[in-house]
Amino acid sequence: MAQLFEKSKRVIEAQLAGGSIRAISGSMVAYEGNIQFKSAGFGGGDGVLAGLKRRATGESLSLMECSGNGRVFFAVNGQDVTVVNLNNDTLQVESQQLLAFAGNLRTDVTFAGLRGGATGAGLFTTKVTGQGQVALLSAGGPLIHLEVSPQYPLVVDPDAFVAARGNLNQSFVTDVSWRSVMGQGGGEAFSLRWEGQGVVSIQPAER
């Protein structure tokens, strides 16, 4: 048995009673009880493909498994934390914003494209599917949840995007006039467009 709680605005507490959770390596800040830690590899599965994804996304996505009996506390750079409960549905998470997950969950990492030629940074999303809990990080303050309906598609800066759930389709908008207004030219940039029915969560600060 393992459960995640928001201990404070910036700390996640995992209560373990013979169960286990997975969390981003290096995110543990304290623990008590009889807890074992081991590398859990990478969130996208095993094998050559996972190795390629790991090199592409950076070691920040490597996971550790915490198991045993006791309590473990997690935090990353003072970012706000949110626990999301999944009931046999799917959550798409910007991979850098994933902190921990517990339960019967499957994960797969997909490459969503380059954020823009100016930065050359990639956008990787992790699909988390099943039943359990996911702890998310948000920089600059708590997550902001925005409703998406068929009448009102939502366009989001990829640097602010954290997560999406529901019956949503994602596409790219490459005609990003506001980026040139901000003086961030020098390459093609894009925004994320979400259509359908669901909720998209963003953070107040950009990566």
Side-chain angles (χ1 to χ4, degrees), residues 2 46 60 78 82 91 97 101 126 142 166 170 186 190 195 198:
D46 299 319
S60 61
T82 303
L91 184 72
Q97 307 306 125
F101 39 101
T126 300
Q170 176 200 305
F190 68 84
E195 296 177 273

Side-chain angles (χ1 to χ4, degrees), residues 14-99:
Q15 295 185 2
L16 300 177
S20 66
I21 67 155
R22 285 174 289 169
I24 297 300
S25 297
S27 60
M28 190 276 291
V29 292
Y31 75 93
E32 61 184 31
N34 184 19
I35 308 290
Q36 292 81 45
F37 300 91
K38 69 176 183 179
S39 172
F42 183 66
D46 299 319
V48 175
L49 184 59
L52 290 172
K53 289 176 181 174
R54 181 165 57 248
R55 281 200 293 277
T57 56
E59 290 302 317
S60 61
L61 259 184
S62 62
L63 299 173
M64 61 180 178
E65 183 176 302
C66 314
S67 58
N69 292 277
R71 300 193 299 168
V72 189
F73 302 92
F74 303 96
V76 174
N77 297 330
Q79 295 188 69
D80 282 63
V81 295
T82 303
V83 173
V84 175
N85 294 303
L86 291 183
N87 186 18
N88 292 319
D89 50 354
T90 297
L91 184 72
Q92 294 182 63
V93 185
E94 151 61 40
S95 297
Q96 294 180 29
Q97 307 306 125
L98 182 66
L99 175 57

Side-chain angles (χ1 to χ4, degrees), residues 92 148-149 163-170 194-200:
Q92 294 182 63
V148 182
S149 64
R165 69 190 298 183
N167 186 19
L168 294 170
N169 293 316
Q170 176 200 305
W194 299 90
E195 296 177 273
Q197 190 83 44
V199 176
V200 173

Side-chain angles (χ1 to χ4, degrees), residues 92-161:
Q92 294 182 63
V93 185
E94 151 61 40
S95 297
Q96 294 180 29
Q97 307 306 125
L98 182 66
L99 175 57
F101 39 101
N104 185 20
L105 297 170
R106 297 183 306 280
T107 59
D108 185 54
V109 179
T110 57
F111 176 61
L114 293 176
R115 290 201 181 97
T119 62
L123 178 70
F124 291 85
T125 57
T126 300
K127 269 190 178 176
V128 186
T129 308
Q131 190 151 13
Q133 295 174 295
V134 183
L136 303 176
L137 295 163
S138 61
L143 283 176
I144 300 163
H145 306 292
L146 302 174
E147 296 275 347
V148 182
S149 64
Q151 299 91 338
Y152 296 103
L154 180 70
V155 177
V156 174
D157 180 345
D159 283 331
F161 170 73

